[in-house]
Amino acid sequence: MNKKITFPELIEAVAAITGVSKRTSETFLKELVAVVSDSLANGENVRIKNFGMFKLVEVGERKSVNINTGAEMQIPGHTKVVFTPDRVLADAINTPFANFEAVEISEKITEEELNVMTSTEPVDNRQDGAKDAISEEDEGNTCTDGDSATESAANAQTDFSGDDLNEKELVESGGGELGTVQTEEQNSEENENIAVSKAANVENQTITSDHNDSDNIETEDSTSENATDADISHNANDERSHGNENTNKRTLFFRGYFWGAMTMLLIACVAFYIYYLYGNKPYYEIGSTTWQSADLRETSVGKFVDDTMDVAGKVMSHADLNEADTFTPGGEALHTHVQEPTVKYDTISRSRYLTTMSRAYYGDFRFWVYIYEENKEKIDDPNAIPPGTVVVIPPASKYGIDKDDYESVEKARELAVEILESHK
Amino acid sequence: MNRKPEDVEKLLDAFISTVKTRCGDLDSVAIPGFGTFEAKKRLERVSVNPATGKRMLIPPKITLSFKPSALLKNKLR
């Protein structure tokens, strides 16, 4: 990180890759530089395939002021060289952020809200009731009150820890009774996003349609907003239009609470029942066998449950397991309930690394070091993990992960430096 | 000089991949007498489309930049 690679180091690296002697590599690099700068000196643009283009740009004469004396002076026109990296190279360097997309922001957000959003993630909005609900909805891509509705439901009846919403995945595959079956082929992240919105819609139907409050689930990761189909945004618009009066909002909101609680209770009951039917096999064991038999295609997807999409997440992971059913021996429907909400798995892929996982599970990419620590024996170099590697996501409590705690973040950062240093 | 084209290609690829990996780690690669390649992190920002007035949240990005050395600058003058 932020290290300067000197010329001898570069020579060494090139020699190591090609297997030629350092002398050859040195002369080659010198020739290369000489050729490029000579061509530039002759007024030619130089383009190196897969690398980029060195372009000459004319800079006209301009006036300036000497900052020491204040005297005006003339800067003569000259040519400068501009380097534009090739698409291939630019993309390769940008891979850590490649999965982000530009997102349109709703007009109703003010500057302050934006600043708040960027500095801290929205936390708990239960207490603020209906007033909060409106602003939250406007934000669209942050927590919605559906979140808090389900949250309260969860607090009401189970042993889930209230702060880590995403830690609980109520998974049950006998969901047919509930009408929330969702069997989507989920291969890529885009699909995932679509599945989220679909799941949200399905949920919409199960709860009555007039209080969308509890159903307006969108992922916090704003990229997904693009991918979600028109349904959900339509929903959101609807809400905005007829949810303007505060009183109306309030009743809708508490109705949302109520229905959310009821649904959660129902799901929990069925899940517990099913869980006892199936025996005490822990969820992750089933999960891991599933992954071994399935060709790793659908593994990374359903497990990714963000802060704000818990209901959708439930349906999703449940869908995931539904798929998994086909791989279990006996062919009997697999009925599970997550007893251990803290142990999760994920799969490394071209667009999903430790950092993205860390962001998804802990809210900050810097905590990737703990995922690495947890999977040390599987991972050699954290910068070069073969796609398809299944990693364990440790519970946030195990390493004291807290994205709002400066010290925790700082500790992770130091650890990251250490790890990266040992893999130089 | 006097090198086979395939050798040149191999060496050039090695050079490119070195720059790629090093700059991918946010390091900078300096070549004396020519310039420095360095990766720069651009933070996320909000931009406004002047035509439609729509506000877009542009995600963070790492870009490769090249800083020509004084020697190269003088040569071009």
Side-chain angles (χ1 to χ4, degrees):
Chain A
M1 288 279 175
N2 294 329
K3 224 174 93 187
K4 199 160 188 173
I5 310 295
T6 56
F7 197 54
E9 284 173 283
L10 180 65
I11 290 167
E12 213 165 297
V14 172
I17 292 173
T18 51
V20 299
S21 69
K22 276 186 203 170
R23 182 176 289 274
T24 327
S25 140
E26 183 178 349
T27 45
F28 165 74
L29 286 172
K30 280 186 173 159
E31 282 163 21
L32 175 73
V33 166
V35 168
V36 172
S37 43
D38 283 348
S39 309
L40 288 171
N42 290 339
E44 294 168 36
N45 293 342
V46 181
R47 181 178 202 149
I48 302 175
K49 198 174 169 257
N50 287 335
F51 190 63
M53 186 167 178
F54 295 94
K55 224 186 211 168
L56 293 169
V57 175
E58 293 279 342
V59 182
E61 218 177 34
R62 67 192 154 95
K63 272 186 186 144
S64 182
V65 177
N66 187 326
I67 45 168
N68 291 329
T69 59
E72 271 197 13
M73 58 179 192
Q74 198 82 2
I75 296 180
H78 61 277
T79 47
K80 65 171 182 180
V81 60
V82 173
F83 174 68
T84 323
D86 193 281
R87 193 62 179 267
V88 182
L89 185 65
D91 285 351
I93 284 173
N94 193 38
T95 37
F97 294 130
N99 52 345
F100 290 126
E101 264 175 60
V103 168
E104 194 184 319
I105 306 168
S106 161
E107 289 166 22
K108 295 183 183 171
I109 310 175
T110 59
E111 285 298 315
E112 299 90 79
E113 277 174 303
L114 271 177
N115 290 337
V116 170
M117 267 167 68
T118 46
S119 58
T120 58
E121 312 260 56
V123 201
D124 199 346
N125 45 333
R126 256 175 300 169
Q127 297 90 347
D128 297 317
K131 193 182 147 210
D132 210 341
I134 294 168
S135 66
E136 285 296 327
E137 263 168 33
D138 289 343
E139 283 181 30
N141 54 359
T142 57
C143 284
T144 58
D145 35 342
D147 200 12
S148 34
T150 47
E151 192 175 335
S152 69
N155 286 339
Q157 34 92 4
T158 52
D159 51 352
F160 299 131
S161 54
D163 50 348
D164 280 338
L165 276 182
N166 51 339
E167 297 288 272
K168 57 186 168 61
E169 294 171 54
L170 259 181
V171 184
E172 46 86 34
S173 49
E177 296 97 336
L178 289 170
T180 54
V181 189
Q182 172 75 11
T183 43
E184 285 286 321
E185 275 289 324
Q186 302 165 335
N187 289 339
S188 65
E189 272 195 68
E190 286 87 39
N191 282 353
E192 181 185 335
N193 292 333
I194 291 165
V196 171
S197 61
K198 281 191 179 154
N201 288 337
V202 171
E203 196 70 18
N204 236 339
Q205 288 153 14
T206 59
I207 310 172
T208 56
S209 52
D210 57 336
H211 36 74
N212 300 326
D213 289 17
S214 55
D215 311 322
N216 183 14
I217 297 142
E218 297 188 282
T219 56
E220 167 202 60
D221 189 78
S222 32
T223 53
S224 68
E225 246 216 336
N226 282 348
T228 54
D229 36 358
D231 288 340
I232 199 152
S233 50
H234 184 226
N235 252 346
N237 287 340
D238 261 358
E239 252 168 84
R240 247 169 249 153
S241 59
H242 65 64
N244 278 343
E245 301 89 31
N246 227 349
T247 50
N248 193 10
K249 200 78 237 176
R250 192 180 288 267
T251 51
L252 283 182
F253 179 67
F254 285 112
R255 245 152 133 217
Y257 255 102
F258 175 71
W259 280 102
M262 289 304 282
T263 329
M264 286 292 292
L265 205 70
L266 204 65
I267 292 173
C269 285
V270 175
F272 269 108
Y273 173 67
I274 286 163
Y275 174 71
Y276 279 117
L277 269 188
Y278 192 74
N280 289 340
K281 198 173 182 185
Y283 162 67
Y284 58 85
E285 263 181 54
I286 297 162
S288 57
T289 52
T290 307
W291 281 322
Q292 277 153 24
S293 46
D295 57 1
L296 296 175
R297 201 156 33 98
E298 53 271 76
T299 51
S300 72
V301 187
K303 301 288 149 287
F304 165 54
V305 182
D306 223 322
D307 278 342
T308 50
M309 39 186 260
D310 40 3
V311 177
K314 264 159 242 151
V315 184
M316 255 171 57
S317 43
H318 141 73
D320 210 28
L321 270 215
N322 241 359
E323 248 174 88
D325 286 353
T326 48
F327 300 108
T328 53
E332 213 183 278
L334 178 63
H335 300 308
T336 50
H337 167 235
V338 180
Q339 187 68 5
E340 237 162 300
T342 46
V343 178
K344 279 184 266 177
Y345 288 82
D346 214 325
T347 311
I348 303 284
S349 75
R350 290 287 305 227
S351 59
R352 197 160 175 78
Y353 330 94
L354 298 183
T355 44
T356 45
M357 286 175 196
S358 163
R359 211 181 126 76
Y361 289 106
Y362 307 132
D364 195 302
F365 73 93
R366 280 168 290 206
F367 293 122
W368 66 268
V369 289
Y370 297 121
I371 307 179
Y372 169 78
E373 287 284 315
E374 194 75 4
N375 299 279
K376 242 182 189 164
E377 63 283 352
K378 273 185 261 179
I379 301 170
D380 182 19
D381 182 350
N383 281 323
I385 310 170
T389 309
V390 178
V391 295
V392 182
I393 309 294
S397 50
K398 187 168 173 184
Y399 293 102
I401 296 172
D402 181 7
K403 66 174 157 54
D404 298 323
D405 182 9
Y406 176 76
E407 270 177 37
S408 173
V409 175
E410 202 57 24
K411 226 172 95 190
R413 208 181 55 75
E414 278 163 19
L415 193 55
V417 172
E418 232 170 79
I419 291 170
L420 290 174
E421 209 53 50
S422 67
H423 285 284
K424 279 281 178 236
Chain B
M1 299 290 160
N2 293 331
R3 231 188 281 275
K4 283 188 224 146
E6 55 262 35
D7 283 350
V8 173
E9 203 177 322
K10 205 170 75 174
L11 284 160
L12 192 58
D13 279 349
F15 166 67
I16 291 170
S17 76
T18 310
V19 172
K20 198 187 283 181
T21 48
R22 294 340 290 251
C23 288
D25 295 344
L26 295 182
D27 289 342
S28 59
V29 178
I31 301 174
F34 188 62
T36 312
F37 294 98
E38 52 188 337
K40 280 182 181 165
K41 220 179 203 166
R42 306 236 177 277
L43 287 179
E44 61 178 1
R45 67 200 159 86
V46 174
S47 85
V48 182
N49 181 339
T52 59
K54 276 180 184 165
R55 287 190 295 171
M56 303 289 285
L57 183 67
I58 310 294
K61 197 179 180 191
I62 299 174
T63 52
L64 182 66
S65 70
F66 172 69
K67 237 195 219 162
S69 75
L71 217 78
L72 184 63
K73 276 186 195 165
N74 285 332
K75 211 169 172 181
L76 294 177
R77 193 154 288 223

